[in-house]
Amino acid sequence: MNILVVNCGSSTVKYQLFQMEDEDHYNVMAKGVVERIGIPGSRLEHHTPSGDFVEEQPVANHRVALELVLATLTAGKARVLSSIREIEAVGHRVVHGGEKFTGSVLITDEVLAAIRSFADLAPLHNPPNILGIEACQELMPGTPQVAVFDTAFHGTLPEYAYIYPIPYEYYEKYRIRRYGFHGTSHRYVAERAAKMMGRDLGELRLITCHMGSGVSFAAIRYGKSIDTSMGFTPLEGLVMGTRCGDIDPAIIFFLMDKEGLSAKQVEEILNKKSGVLGVSGISSDTRDIEDAAPHNHRARLTLEIIAYRAKKYIGAYYAILGGLDGLVFTAGIGENSSYIRKSICSGLEHLGILIDDERNTVRRKEAFISRDDSPVKVMVIPTNEELMIARDTWRIVRTMR
Ligand code: AMP
């Protein structure tokens, strides 16, 4: 089955075309990204096993972007299909599934209406996801479309983990609660971790650390997410590229008062100017911070805060899991930065986390980085959300045949 996986952001469309025999046997026929949609300098980057292609042309909106993707897949020198009809299903990444969706679903009018109704909860993310779905429905009428939600994997959080201690009426009125994000990534690496360990996911206690420009950790007991660090929005939790993570909420009101800022302005500061960028004053990219650390105090401090806060989450999740079998690092930082992995794990030997320095030099490939005698297996696992979306789509569409 040929499955197109689509991930629409506010100004980007990322895509991958899978040829799936079954869940474990597949081939990536092409992948790429359309960038700068609706702004000058739009371009498509397209990769196939036979070469890489770049096309620069104005792309006014998501529909035009998807038209360009479909045209590139089916015509010209970069084509891998002879017609759009060869795409048998489309899988969409959708950020917010609210409380309604705890798994992937076939997109119907009712599902699309529900996704629209969650736009309030994810104002930056769900609207472009919806544009992508609508464009594909128009361009490929009759082709089944599946939604895979970032929030769905955390649908198993117990009530006491997702209700915030604020007046309960705000949960009832606005559904303010912990939702959690990066669920597709946490689910993927948890499944891979079980495979690597040669154990059943249903018997493992895992902490999965998704550390990219956004950062979230999840506590996964016997295959189910029981807590996660992102909350009502992706602003809560660990230190991120430009997001603050956990802070005292009173800081918001103090800043509004002292600096004469509006709520929107403070929101912007906490989302776009905080985290790694805010503390270091250098960059939101931890590579720049690692480079600057030997001669810059605030760069060193940033790395110390990242590690310190990560340790606190690992300790907390260890406690609620009642022990730990595996610790997984994934995404840009988790897959690449041996320095940050090491600084998080050092000092956690009393929890049974013993890192092997030589093994910890690994980058972007699956590997154990713990010592053979480490009671907790520590792993690096490159995430693959697109594959997860393709698999879910394959499973759902196959049953329709
Ligand atoms: P992602 O959001 O998963 O694409 O991750 C992007 C982030 O990963 C970048 O902003 C960097 O902070 C980080 N990153 C990527 N490569 C490296 C690396 N080699 N060393 C340290 N950090 C890295």
Side-chain angles (χ1 to χ4, degrees), residues 221-242:
R221 185 166 60 203
Y222 313 141
K224 293 197 162 76
S225 172
I226 60 163
D227 207 352
T228 187
S229 59
M230 284 180 170
F232 177 56
T233 72
L235 188 56
E236 193 184 349
L238 292 126
V239 183
M240 307 181 218
T242 60

Side-chain angles (χ1 to χ4, degrees), residues 212-214 284-287 290 331-333 336-337 363:
S213 47
S284 62
D285 192 316
T286 46
R287 281 169 288 204
E290 287 186 37
I333 299 169
N336 289 292
S337 176
R363 276 172 180 238

Side-chain angles (χ1 to χ4, degrees), residues 149-181:
F149 301 95
D150 258 29
T151 47
F153 181 58
H154 303 300
T156 47
L157 257 58
E159 198 178 10
Y160 53 76
Y162 70 68
I163 292 290
Y164 287 107
I166 59 172
Y168 193 77
E169 66 186 272
Y170 298 125
Y171 168 63
E172 293 174 314
K173 246 172 144 171
Y174 303 115
R175 293 292 169 226
I176 295 178
R177 50 160 285 177
R178 179 179 306 286
Y179 289 100
F181 298 88

Side-chain angles (χ1 to χ4, degrees), residues 182 186 209-217 228-230 234-241 243 245 276 306 310 331 333:
H182 292 146
H186 289 293
C209 308
H210 179 111
M211 303 186 76
S213 47
V215 177
S216 74
F217 288 9
T228 187
S229 59
M230 284 180 170
L235 188 56
E236 193 184 349
L238 292 126
V239 183
M240 307 181 218
R243 288 181 223 141
V276 173
I306 291 173
I333 299 169

Side-chain angles (χ1 to χ4, degrees), residues 196-197 324-329 341 345 352-356 359-360 367-371 374-381:
M196 283 173 72
M197 293 168 77
L324 188 63
D325 302 299
L327 176 67
V328 180
F329 289 100
R341 291 192 300 249
C345 293
I353 295 170
L354 308 175
I355 289 286
D356 179 302
R359 289 179 186 170
N360 186 37
F368 286 101
I369 58 167
S370 44
R371 291 182 355 209
S374 180
V376 175
K377 302 297 163 214
V378 186
M379 289 155 273
V380 169
I381 303 180

Side-chain angles (χ1 to χ4, degrees), residues 54 92 112 158 162 175 208 226 239 247 251 310 314 324 340 364 367 378:
V54 176
H92 294 269
L112 191 54
Y162 70 68
R175 293 292 169 226
T208 49
I226 60 163
V239 183
I247 59 164
I251 294 170
I314 291 170
L324 188 63
I340 292 177
R364 309 188 80 165
V378 186

